[in-house]
Amino acid sequence: MTRAARLAALRLQGFKSFAERTVVELGPGINAVVGPNGSGKSNLADALRWALGEQGRALRSRKSEDVIFAGSDRRSAVGMADVTLSLDNADGLLPVDYSTVEVGRRLYRSGENEYLINRQRVRLRDLEDLLEGANLAENAFLFIGQGMVDQALALRPEERRPLFEEVAGVRRHDRRRRRAIDQLAEAESNIARVADVVAELRPQARRLAAQAEQQASRARAGDDLAAALVSAGHHRWHEAASRVAAAAAELARARSEADAALEAERAADAAAATAARRLAQIDAEEREARAAHDAARARLAEIRLRSTRLEAEAEAAARDRERVASERAAAEASLVDHRRVLSLPMPPRDEALDAEIAALDAARAEALSELSSLRARRRAAGEAQAAVIRAEETRRAERDAAARRVADLERRLAEARAEESAAVLQTGELRARVAIASEAAAAASRRAADAAASAESARAAAEAADGAR
């Protein structure tokens, strides 16, 4: 019965000429890889050596990164070389409890190496120990190259001896012996260093023994002192516990008082906020009253100006009326004289008299036209006087409204003062604010009184002006 191949499969990706993932499966018996020169047959053997930890020049590369596929005209370079060997371990050749063992190696362009056993990362030393257990580490006959048989036949007996030792498995034990000798030499050197350290520390050990004895006596004294301290501490702890209980009760009482004070402060703050809002409202109303008063004063000044202008026009109209009346009287007297003359018998026509009559007619027509213009100006003066009267009535209505608003402001101010007094009784912090608010309200009252006095004086002046007219 043909036994299954020890090497079951070989998987390559990115190793030398194998850019794509390539799987080579090996069957029982002898397996052959056939192909022309340059097809990559040697790369398969290099992949086997490389996966088993080969580090030397047997891989036909000058540096480790040369085994990664460097690219071609059709494909770009890759960043990793990965080779995995699948080994049949049904007979337990490898010292692990697996029927199939996968041994892999990865190399990145950054220089990082990874060794894998059954897809788990391990150290290179772990891989070498595993392979050495199966006589696969540094085995000269594991890979037999072209011409190696002829070289073996041409060797001298003393040169051929290592080959027979390798075949017999003696070289493995010899490597273990050399390794054990190296470890023994290292251990002897460590022992020598330890002896030196012990010789150096022996005097210190005696000194430390004396110090340890002293420390033991001190420890006993310390234990006694500790017992006394524990007793005293126990007593002090009970006293502290009683003080803590009393302090806790005091703290609870203080917290309740603080909560009550905080609640009172919150209520006082709320009252202060309400008073502040009322004061802000009063201030806004005061500003509105001041604006209305300023508008009334401006209108009063305008009315005074118009009244002065109308009085001047009325005086001019009166003077014109007196002049027209005197001229009319003179014209009527002249007309009477002319009528008397006309009632006389008709004298011969006097051209100079006709010219004088024509001049008198023209003067009469001019006087009539001037009289009509004076009448029109008198009507305009009457309309202006009516406008002044209407403006005076409007001013009186505004003055009454301002008086009512001042009374309303005084009432609200009294309410605000009452609320502020209540807030002052709740907290002392609001006293300064209430004083400032009272002063502002008093100033507002004074300004309202001044506005009322100004309106009254304006009304008196307007009435005086009407009486004068």
Side-chain angles (χ1 to χ4, degrees), residues 1-7 27-30 87-93 99:
M1 180 178 180
T2 304
R3 186 187 179 282
R6 177 73 63 186
L7 178 60
I30 298 175
L87 304 176
D88 184 8
N89 192 38
D91 56 355
L93 177 64
S99 59

Side-chain angles (χ1 to χ4, degrees), residues 15-332:
F15 184 81
K16 289 194 173 181
S17 60
F18 297 94
E20 296 287 347
R21 180 179 176 83
T22 305
V23 179
V24 179
E25 295 182 353
L26 304 175
I30 298 175
N31 295 269
V33 179
V34 182
N37 293 334
S39 61
K41 300 186 298 299
S42 301
N43 291 340
L44 290 175
D46 293 342
L48 293 172
R49 293 189 181 94
W50 186 72
L52 294 177
E54 177 63 44
Q55 306 290 334
R57 299 177 59 186
L59 300 177
R60 300 174 299 154
S61 59
R62 288 176 295 180
K63 53 184 180 179
S64 60
E65 290 81 2
D66 291 342
V67 299
I68 303 176
F69 180 71
S72 63
D73 296 337
R74 298 182 180 179
R75 290 186 59 87
S76 59
V78 298
M80 177 188 70
D82 185 8
V83 177
T84 303
L85 306 181
S86 181
L87 304 176
D88 184 8
N89 192 38
D91 56 355
L93 177 64
L94 295 173
V96 291
D97 297 332
Y98 295 99
S99 59
T100 301
V101 179
E102 289 187 353
V103 177
R105 182 178 179 181
R106 291 175 184 170
L107 175 65
Y108 299 91
R109 287 198 180 275
S110 60
E112 182 181 0
N113 250 315
E114 290 183 358
Y115 297 94
L116 306 172
I117 297 178
N118 287 342
R119 300 182 182 180
Q120 300 294 326
R121 292 187 61 177
V122 296
R123 300 175 301 169
L124 177 59
R125 181 57 181 270
D126 298 332
L127 178 61
E128 291 176 349
D129 292 341
L130 177 65
L131 296 177
E132 187 176 1
N135 197 21
L136 297 178
E138 299 182 7
N139 192 335
F141 297 101
L142 190 61
F143 300 99
I144 300 176
Q146 185 178 3
M148 186 174 178
V149 176
D150 294 337
Q151 292 177 5
L153 295 175
L155 291 176
R156 290 176 297 179
E158 61 272 12
E159 295 175 348
R160 198 177 293 128
R161 179 179 176 179
L163 297 178
F164 291 109
E165 289 179 351
E166 186 70 39
V167 172
V170 177
R171 293 290 299 275
R172 179 178 60 180
H173 299 291
D174 185 55
R175 285 193 297 270
R176 291 180 178 176
R177 182 178 64 84
R178 288 198 301 270
R179 189 180 305 162
I181 291 172
D182 294 338
Q183 292 177 355
L184 183 60
E186 185 178 358
E188 289 177 352
S189 64
N190 291 335
I191 290 173
R193 286 197 296 272
V194 169
D196 295 337
V197 172
V198 168
E200 183 179 354
L201 294 179
R202 186 173 288 113
Q204 298 181 9
R206 288 193 295 269
R207 186 173 62 254
L208 290 174
Q211 292 178 0
E213 186 176 357
Q214 294 176 2
Q215 187 66 25
S217 62
R218 291 176 182 175
R220 288 191 296 271
D223 292 338
D224 297 337
L225 179 60
L229 290 176
V230 166
S231 178
H234 187 69
H235 180 67
R236 293 179 63 186
W237 181 82
H238 281 291
E239 292 181 353
S242 61
R243 287 197 299 270
V244 165
E250 183 68 20
L251 178 61
R253 186 179 61 78
R255 283 182 177 175
S256 62
E257 293 178 357
D259 293 338
L262 184 60
E263 188 65 27
E265 184 178 359
R266 288 199 188 99
D269 290 339
T274 304
R277 287 194 297 271
R278 294 293 301 274
L279 287 176
Q281 183 179 2
I282 292 172
D283 192 12
E285 293 176 354
E286 181 186 354
R287 286 197 296 271
E288 293 178 0
R290 189 183 303 163
H293 176 64
D294 293 339
R297 290 182 64 182
R299 294 188 62 183
L300 181 61
E302 182 181 358
I303 290 171
R304 287 177 179 176
L305 180 61
R306 291 180 60 185
S307 177
T308 303
R309 186 170 61 251
L310 290 175
E311 288 176 357
E313 291 178 356
E315 291 177 358
R319 288 193 298 272
D320 292 339
R321 189 165 55 249
E322 292 176 356
R323 183 174 59 81
V324 169
S326 61
E327 290 179 357
R328 182 178 180 181
E332 289 178 353

Side-chain angles (χ1 to χ4, degrees), residues 279 413 416-418 420-421 424 431-446:
L279 287 176
L413 179 60
R417 285 178 177 175
E420 290 169 5
S421 300
V424 166
R431 292 177 180 175
R433 299 180 185 176
V434 172
I436 294 173
S438 299
E439 292 178 0
S445 180
R446 288 195 298 272

